[in-house]
Amino acid sequence: MSVREHDLGEIRDAVAKLCAAFPMDYWRETDRERRYPTEFVRALTEAGWLSCLIPEEYGGAGLKLAAAAAILEEIQRSGANGAACHAQMYTMGTVLRHCSEAQKRKYLPKIAKGELRLQAFGVTEPSAGTDTSSIRTAAVKKGDRYVVNGQKVWTSRAEHSDIMLLLARTTPREEVQKKTEGLSVFIVEMKAALGRGLTIRPIRTMINHATTEIFIDKLEVPAENLVGEEGKGFRYILDGMNAERILIGAECIGDARWFLARATAYANERKVFGRPIGQNQGVQFPIARAYMATEAAALMVERAAALYDAGKPCGPESNMAKQLAAEASWQAGDMCLQTHGGFGFAEEYDVERKFRETRLYQVAPISTNLVLCYLAEHVLGLPRSY
């Protein structure tokens, strides 16, 4: 299916209609109770939106990443939180490009039907952080199985996922020429692994993000669950990471547009000293600046998605899209809170929840400083700083 502009408009309208069935009360409650939005995720799944990137021959819609970006942007723009399920989209960058045909036929139809959830991406570790090549989780092949030992952290939605993509070292770092070699990706079936070498521990954070740390002790993974070639996994996860950056950039654009709409409406309605506060330039200008930043960042997200869909290199664009969009959403969130004054801190206005949620993307999935380091070294040709 092609993704023309009118197709995206139809997708946005349909997603907005679905989100309208989950009013702000629903999101306040899930946030207050730190509960996973199971009903919302189920509705998205049944409507086919979470399988939009899965090719039609496996039961999906076969859409482009631009369509997935539109879906997630619209979710955030409605005031909902797509972080509860966005991994099922960005992990497709790794699955569709590097999984075997047998693996695709085994898992993708069930994911498309909603029988399985692919929501966990086990990459980050406590001692390595974003230095992915320094991970210590090790997988040693023994016969027809790999035995895995290690630990992962900030693995969101692990408790709500049936399948996890796991990155582990299959060759020790000291035995490879390049530190990015010797890393492999595995498909882990979570239900079978729990209690048999896999332990999940929730991490309570300032936002309801369902994030966890994972402990892996002598976990046996069938050799047939190796994705692609052994030792080439770093390149495989880059496809997932670029997709992740683009999609999270789209989410940030959605957040920013929610903040802009809320701030504009409030500035028109709220009267102080006998006039709408939006009549004051001190209120107008921050809203206008946030609008400009949002529209500019949206263009970069659009460009990065177009390059990704065309199969072209998009590392710089993906990183810039994520960073510019995250900065725009944070600028808009700060502006919206300031526009609302004291009411912005009240739960019933929803600003404080979205304010907390959008702040995450200054840190995840990659921090601001590392985006700048990447651009400085790999795009501008400056000396490596770390």
Side-chain angles (χ1 to χ4, degrees), residues 221-264:
V221 178
E224 64 189 33
N225 283 23
L226 172 70
V227 174
E229 293 182 54
E230 183 180 295
K232 306 295 184 182
F234 185 80
R235 180 167 59 87
Y236 300 161
I237 67 165
L238 287 181
D239 282 329
M241 287 180 170
N242 282 335
E244 180 183 39
R245 284 153 175 64
I246 295 167
L247 293 177
I248 285 178
E251 290 183 65
C252 289
I253 296 300
D255 279 342
R257 287 174 169 158
W258 185 90
F259 286 125
L260 283 162
R262 283 301 177 101
T264 300

Side-chain angles (χ1 to χ4, degrees), residues 162-202:
D162 298 295
I163 307 167
M164 173 174 63
L165 292 185
L166 176 70
L167 185 69
R169 273 215 165 271
T170 44
T171 304
R173 185 170 173 174
E174 58 272 16
E175 295 180 17
V176 296
Q177 291 184 336
K178 295 181 179 180
K179 61 183 182 180
T180 55
E181 295 176 346
L183 295 166
S184 300
V185 177
F186 298 91
I187 299 170
V188 176
E189 297 182 3
M190 306 286 279
K191 298 291 191 299
L194 279 173
R196 297 181 178 87
L198 186 72
T199 302
I200 301 173
R201 182 181 300 167

